[in-house]
Amino acid sequence: MTAPANPCEPCVILVFGATGDLAKRKIFPALLALHRRGFLHARTPVVAVSRRPMSVADLLASLHLEGGRGDADALQAFAASVRCIPFDHGEATLPAFVAAVDELARERGAGPARAVYFALPADAFEPTAALLVKGGLFHDEGWRRLCFEKPFGHDLASARELNAKITRHFEESSIYRIDHYLGKELVRNLMVMRFANPLFGQIWNSAFIDHVQVTIAETLGAEGRAGYYEKAGAVRDMLQNHLMQVLALAAMEPPKALDADSVRDAMVDVLRQLVPPSRDDFVLGQFGPGEVGGTPVPGYRQEPGVHPGSDAETFVAVRACIDNPRWQGVPFFLRTGKRMGKKLAEANIVLRAQPGNLFRADRSVEGEPGANVISIRIQPNEGISVEFTVKAPGEGLRLETVVMEHCHHCVYGLNTAEAYEILLHEFLAGDQTLFTRWDFVEASWRWVDAITAVRDGQAATFPNYAAGTSGPAGAEGLLGEGRHWIVSRDILS
């Protein structure tokens, strides 16, 4: 992502929950990167809002800066734009807080526009929004935007309740629901790959594609998030958002245009055409003790904060079917799990075998044609590869599979923009294309709730896979005869 030609229009950026892990790891480092690249207007202040007072120096010292993204000169220049203003979320202190923000805006010439990021627990969204509106933080002559993170509820009913509360104070056109997967370069490349290249676009249908796999595998366990994960599990934590987003981009019809509404209309249509899942369409799992990278690790139930008899799933694999002409008979297999043998996120598009293949019928041929697989690697070693069959060197006719590889960082370098940089760039520019619209949230929860309803009504036989493996045995059977889970052949790993 190259430096923008022009900075965003002046506004006041307010980050609530400034001392939290999300703010320190993602939000402020992304704002620092945007400031260094010249996207933040010289008159735009960044306000760190926290319950307890802190200094700008303390805030910047607490940031998690990776990959050389924060040199001393850049930090010093960014520090001049940052202010720390405490706010205890109480009505008594609200007038002083709003007055301090307005005074800062006048001092910097930032104008009446306000960009608010809630790095807060979901139950604090509505009360905080109500206070800010009541206290006059937002001015009629300037735009207001609100950005916040998943989870957007824990089921359809709670998501609707949260949305109703937020939309009391903000219109949908001002709400930016962040799913950081939509900011990842190779996720966004799905659209370009499909719709800019006839090589791929003309075969992107049931006549040529046998099935599609989307995998997000983690080597980590709960890692201190047991309180959240015990309630969420893999279905709510990963399937309802990240996996559904990748599914929608991979399966959607060509949007009418590249504007936010057209793209998001096409994505929502996919979810509305999903066949409701039955009990036979998914497999759940929970990891037990094992080894990851040669290091022994405990089972999920032995991790700090986890109930000894926990039935929270740490793995889910699901077969999704889309009821439309393009994808009739083409299953999409989605899986995600913790404590898997390898960390990766990728989509694999497996093409149908060529009918009447000459090389299968001829006994003089050694080997068989392998499946053609188009792999989009989201992480690590981002890139796109295509597997196809060639003749091996030497006498006779021996077939083998090779990989044609596009290495993203080989072409564009290691320091391309991180997902949060891209998303905050779009947030400040007022482009909602990469943000989740309410009807997508609603449709995804409706489909996922069918899984949790079945899951909640049955006793789980956990643990059912060892840490460091590829998940429970039943996940392989979900694919059907002649198929197997794919890990793309990354020639750089």
Side-chain angles (χ1 to χ4, degrees):
M1 186 174 177
T2 57
N6 299 298
C8 69
E9 62 180 290
C11 65
V12 178
I13 301 170
L14 297 107
V15 180
F16 286 77
T19 58
D21 190 64
L22 173 64
K24 291 186 289 188
R25 287 185 178 276
K26 297 296 183 181
I27 300 170
F28 283 108
L31 289 170
L32 166 62
L34 292 175
H35 182 273
R36 185 178 58 220
R37 290 170 36 226
F39 181 74
L40 298 189
H41 198 285
R43 299 203 304 271
T44 292
V46 177
V47 179
V49 185
S50 59
R51 290 183 180 273
R52 63 179 185 272
M54 63 177 173
S55 69
V56 173
D58 288 341
L59 171 70
L60 297 182
S62 73
L63 301 187
H64 297 259
L65 303 174
E66 299 176 0
R69 294 180 182 271
D71 59 75
D73 290 342
L75 274 171
Q76 185 176 0
F78 182 57
S81 298
V82 178
R83 296 291 185 275
C84 295
I85 302 179
F87 178 48
D88 65 2
H89 294 235
E91 196 161 345
T93 58
L94 181 61
F97 172 73
V98 172
V101 173
D102 285 346
E103 176 59 31
L104 176 61
R106 285 191 291 271
E107 174 190 316
R108 296 291 299 271
R114 303 288 184 264
V116 175
Y117 199 117
F118 280 173
L120 299 169
D123 58 5
F125 291 174
E126 195 275 336
T128 306
L131 272 177
L132 299 181
V133 171
K134 181 179 180 180
L137 180 73
F138 305 106
H139 302 271
D140 291 340
E141 63 271 28
W143 51 256
R144 66 172 76 172
R145 295 181 194 142
L146 174 65
C147 187
F148 55 86
E149 299 267 336
K150 76 172 186 75
F152 312 127
H154 60 268
D155 57 14
L156 180 57
S158 61
R160 283 174 169 165
E161 182 181 359
L162 174 63
N163 188 64
K165 290 178 177 178
I166 291 294
T167 52
R168 290 174 191 166
H169 313 292
F170 289 83
E171 296 179 353
E172 179 66 29
S173 60
S174 299
I175 298 172
Y176 291 70
R177 299 175 190 84
I178 250 189
D179 183 336
H180 72 270
Y181 251 69
L182 289 179
K184 290 183 177 291
E185 286 289 354
L186 268 296
V187 172
R188 298 193 303 147
N189 252 304
L190 262 169
M191 275 186 62
V192 178
M193 191 185 80
R194 285 187 58 191
F195 302 129
N197 299 290
L199 172 67
F200 300 117
Q202 294 188 29
I203 63 168
W204 215 265
N205 55 64
S206 60
F208 295 94
I209 293 176
D210 178 79
H211 70 282
V212 177
Q213 300 180 16
V214 182
T215 296
I216 302 177
E218 301 177 280
T219 54
L220 298 176
E223 305 300 316
R225 298 173 67 228
Y228 162 74
Y229 206 80
E230 280 284 87
K231 298 176 182 177
V235 172
R236 293 183 173 99
D237 184 46
M238 298 292 285
L239 175 62
Q240 182 270 331
N241 38 77
H242 301 336
L243 285 166
M244 300 296 278
Q245 296 282 8
V246 178
L247 166 68
L249 285 169
M252 71 182 186
E253 295 298 310
K256 295 176 182 177
L258 289 176
D259 61 88
D261 282 341
S262 296
V263 172
R264 297 193 295 176
D265 284 347
M267 293 177 69
V268 170
D269 283 345
V270 173
L271 270 57
R272 289 174 175 163
Q273 293 163 352
L274 284 173
V275 177
S278 70
R279 181 63 190 90
D280 295 332
D281 287 325
F282 63 92
V283 173
L284 302 176
Q286 184 191 92
F287 68 84
E291 288 190 2
V292 176
T295 301
V297 295
Y300 176 72
R301 292 177 176 180
Q302 288 78 53
E303 293 205 355
V306 174
H307 188 278
S310 173
D311 280 345
E313 77 280 358
T314 63
F315 176 98
V316 58
V318 60
R319 175 174 49 229
C321 297
I322 302 168
D323 187 13
N324 67 21
R326 180 184 294 273
W327 299 115
Q328 199 68 43
V330 179
F332 283 70
F333 298 102
L334 317 175
R335 67 169 173 166
T336 183
K338 288 190 173 295
R339 288 293 191 210
M340 305 281 276
K342 182 178 181 181
K343 179 182 178 179
L344 61 90
E346 62 185 30
N348 290 296
I349 294 86
V350 183
L351 274 61
R352 295 188 184 280
Q354 191 164 312
N357 194 295
L358 290 171
F359 300 100
R360 283 196 174 93
D362 194 320
R363 293 185 179 181
S364 66
V365 177
E366 184 182 347
E368 286 195 2
N372 288 168
V373 181
I374 303 166
S375 296
I376 300 97
R377 284 194 313 279
I378 300 166
Q379 64 181 31
N381 293 332
E382 295 92 338
I384 299 169
S385 64
V386 179
E387 294 188 18
F388 58 98
T389 302
V390 299
K391 174 191 174 297
E395 295 79 7
L397 191 55
R398 181 166 59 86
L399 307 182
E400 67 180 24
T401 299
V402 296
V403 181
M404 183 165 57
E405 175 89 9
H406 160 63
C407 163
H408 184 78
H409 73 253
C410 298
V411 177
Y412 299 108
L414 290 171
N415 290 321
T416 53
E418 198 263 355
Y420 273 84
E421 294 174 39
I422 293 167
L423 292 168
L424 285 173
H425 175 284
E426 302 302 279
F427 170 53
L428 296 171
D431 187 341
Q432 291 183 304
T433 305
L434 300 180
F435 295 84
T436 307
R437 202 167 63 188
W438 162 245
D439 51 359
F440 188 98
V441 175
E442 186 177 40
S444 64
W445 272 124
R446 183 180 291 112
W447 192 77
V448 165
D449 276 0
I451 295 176
T452 55
V454 175
R455 189 253 181 272
D456 292 344
Q458 294 185 345
T461 54
F462 291 158
N464 59 359
Y465 71 98
T469 64
S470 58
E476 197 75 25
L478 187 70
L479 298 173
E481 188 175 353
R483 297 180 180 134
H484 62 277
W485 288 106
I486 294 170
V487 175
S488 66
R489 289 200 257 178
D490 180 3
I491 60 176
L492 299 172
S493 62

